[in-house]
Amino acid sequence: MTTSMSMRMTRLRQQLLSSSSPIYTTLSSRLGRITTTRHLPAAAASKRRPLSTSSPTAKAKQLLLLLLIVFALVLLIRAAMSSSSSSPASDATAAAPFENPRTVVKKLLAESQPEGQGATVRRSIGRHELRNLDPFLMLDEFSVSKPAGFPDHPHRGFETVTYMLDGAFTHQDFAGHKGTIRTGDVQWMTAGRGIVHSEMPAADGVQKGLQLWINLSSKDKMIEPRYQELQSNDISCAEKDGVEVKIIAGEAFGARSPVYTRTPTMYMDFTMRPGSQLHQPVPEGWNAFVYIIDGEGVFGTEKAPRVGAHHCLVLGPGDGLSVWNKSGKPLRFALVGGQPLNEPVVQHGPFVMNTRAEIQQAMEDYYHGRNGFEKANHWSST
Ligand code: FJE
Ligand code: FE
């Protein structure tokens, strides 16, 4: 046995023994349906009395009655017009333009925890209270300073999306792929059948970002690995009524991201000025969540309480999300949605498959350097 092999064995053993997450199986659960009913204003009934035509007091009464009728009619017409209006952007008090607006069904504060080698992450999806939100497996807000980081480790069966909020990170993989992403850049990595890589801070000070893990369907788990890298100035952005959006995946305000999402996904970074509001469609049937990066916002319905940074909000079913910034500071949050795969999820650390047997296979492939892990035996990051 070679030295590198025995090192790999020790590494694998340590990884498996120290793994805090036991093998678990979850069948994707469906969120309960919420329906809303609309109440239309009931038509007011007006009664007429026969009009008498004699004295001046009677004439005054007639005039008053006529005025009252006209006033009631004006009110009725206005009510009818506002209930049929479809452009709330022109009217700050209008109802959300969605048939079935999504509301917040779960709120979670992502607390800091140690991860990788000396790194700190605020995990929301992937922790006990929110095991996964099909097709999403994990969301970490990371804050890492040298020499901490995420040294050589494997992945199989899903995608990792790294979005830099502040600073720079360098990645290197076993196939010779190497690069640095900086503030505003995105690395969309499809691990597929296998990647071994390192992800380390590339500058002094605290390097911050978001890393999202998106599951791949059973038919895509063993595809060739692939990278899609977007520099901050290649990321589509748009602005409307005091709301700015950077589109990492999907479409908003008529602009589209060039990223190909094998598992259909939307990923937006919104910044809302104080006093602004947003009405963003989210495909019906998709699971979706919000992660607040900075500031405070009102999500789902105008009467909802304000929520601040580092909170993850799981959205219920519906066709769109409304957000209000009622604070005096900018509000920044990520809105992410994806089509659920509705497949069994069996995860063991960096391997996410459909069955226990496939996890066993992944561990053996990594250990022996097979089925996509061929280069693992002769590689380590520099
Ligand atoms: C990993 C432990 C880890 N969150 N956020 C076990 F830390 C990781 C891992 C990351 C990670 C990397 C970055 Cl750049 C940002 C992260 C976890 O690399 F993959 C396993 N299996
Ligand atoms: Fe990784």
Side-chain angles (χ1 to χ4, degrees):
M1 197 185 309
T2 66
T3 342
S4 92
M5 269 285 271
S6 70
M7 271 170 67
R8 293 180 53 64
M9 259 176 77
T10 321
R11 200 185 338 151
L12 187 71
R13 256 194 236 110
Q14 277 171 347
Q15 224 170 13
L16 298 182
L17 288 172
S18 69
S19 173
S20 58
S21 55
I23 293 182
Y24 66 90
T25 312
T26 50
L27 274 163
S28 310
S29 62
R30 282 167 171 274
L31 295 161
R33 289 237 146 224
I34 295 172
T35 51
T36 57
T37 7
R38 273 188 188 203
H39 300 277
L40 292 168
S46 61
K47 286 182 185 169
R48 274 168 197 258
R49 268 191 280 147
L51 305 175
S52 67
T53 52
S54 50
S55 67
T57 31
K59 275 204 170 146
K61 275 184 185 167
Q62 283 171 22
L63 204 68
L64 201 70
L65 195 67
L66 205 74
L67 274 171
L68 271 171
I69 291 168
V70 169
F71 186 64
L73 272 172
V74 167
L75 279 181
L76 267 172
I77 291 167
R78 278 187 55 173
M81 275 175 68
S82 77
S83 76
S84 69
S85 162
S86 61
S87 70
S90 59
D91 181 357
T93 59
F98 302 118
E99 286 258 316
N100 185 13
R102 288 177 180 255
T103 57
V104 175
V105 295
K106 192 167 187 163
K107 183 178 107 173
L108 204 104
L109 175 65
E111 281 168 285
S112 297
Q113 64 181 68
E115 195 45 288
Q117 205 163 84
T120 306
V121 300
R122 288 178 180 270
R123 183 160 298 166
S124 43
I125 298 169
R127 65 188 300 146
H128 222 69
E129 301 91 311
L130 190 55
R131 241 324 166 191
N132 63 51
L133 183 69
D134 190 10
F136 306 110
L137 302 161
M138 189 197 83
L139 178 71
D140 279 359
E141 180 186 353
F142 58 91
S143 294
V144 186
S145 305
K146 284 177 183 172
F150 305 93
D152 309 5
H153 60 277
H155 293 284
R156 175 181 278 183
F158 60 101
E159 302 185 291
T160 68
V161 180
T162 311
Y163 182 38
M164 287 309 295
L165 296 176
D166 190 17
F169 245 69
T170 294
H171 58 270
Q172 278 181 53
D173 83 1
F174 70 163
H177 189 97
K178 187 175 175 175
T180 300
I181 50 170
R182 299 167 203 285
T183 309
D185 298 349
V186 175
Q187 186 203 54
W188 196 291
M189 182 187 90
T190 307
R193 64 214 298 253
I195 285 274
V196 182
H197 72 168
S198 68
E199 298 154 286
M200 303 298 282
D204 292 328
V206 187
Q207 316 301 307
K208 293 182 184 177
L210 296 176
Q211 189 169 92
L212 176 69
W213 289 10
I214 308 173
N215 205 359
L216 285 168
S217 74
S218 56
K219 69 174 189 336
D220 292 330
K221 284 190 180 292
M222 295 299 280
I223 58 176
E224 279 301 305
R226 174 185 179 191
Y227 290 91
Q228 297 177 83
E229 263 152 358
L230 288 183
Q231 292 209 321
S232 118
N233 51 354
D234 301 325
I235 293 175
S236 320
C237 44
E239 196 272 339
K240 196 168 98 180
D241 303 330
V243 182
E244 254 180 69
V245 63
K246 291 181 189 170
I247 304 146
I248 295 159
E251 186 182 330
F253 299 170
R256 258 204 89 78
S257 159
V259 165
Y260 175 67
T261 62
R262 203 159 278 276
T263 302
T265 305
M266 63 183 277
Y267 190 154
M268 320 284 171
D269 171 8
F270 283 105
T271 301
M272 296 177 64
R273 276 214 300 260
S276 63
Q277 58 176 295
L278 161 73
H279 303 282
Q280 172 62 39
V282 177
E284 196 108 46
W286 286 22
N287 285 327
F289 68 89
V290 160
Y291 188 79
I292 302 160
I293 298 166
D294 218 350
E296 282 186 339
V298 171
F299 296 83
T301 68
E302 241 195 301
K303 292 180 195 90
R306 283 191 201 177
V307 190
H310 315 301
H311 279 91
C312 180
L313 308 175
V314 178
L315 305 178
D319 55 353
L321 174 70
S322 295
V323 186
W324 295 264
N325 182 355
K326 299 188 176 190
S327 78
K329 290 188 210 151
L331 161 68
R332 186 179 183 192
F333 65 92
L335 169 62
V336 182
Q339 188 171 58
L341 299 169
N342 293 311
E343 289 178 10
V345 177
V346 186
Q347 175 169 5
H348 188 69
F351 306 125
V352 183
M353 303 301 287
N354 298 110
T355 65
R356 279 167 165 268
E358 287 166 352
I359 289 292
Q360 184 62 35
Q361 185 68 50
M363 292 194 290
E364 280 170 26
D365 287 347
Y366 176 51
Y367 173 75
H368 293 292
R370 292 180 191 144
N371 292 322
F373 286 117
E374 284 77 4
K375 291 179 173 133
N377 283 340
H378 315 283
W379 179 82
S380 74
S381 60
T382 52

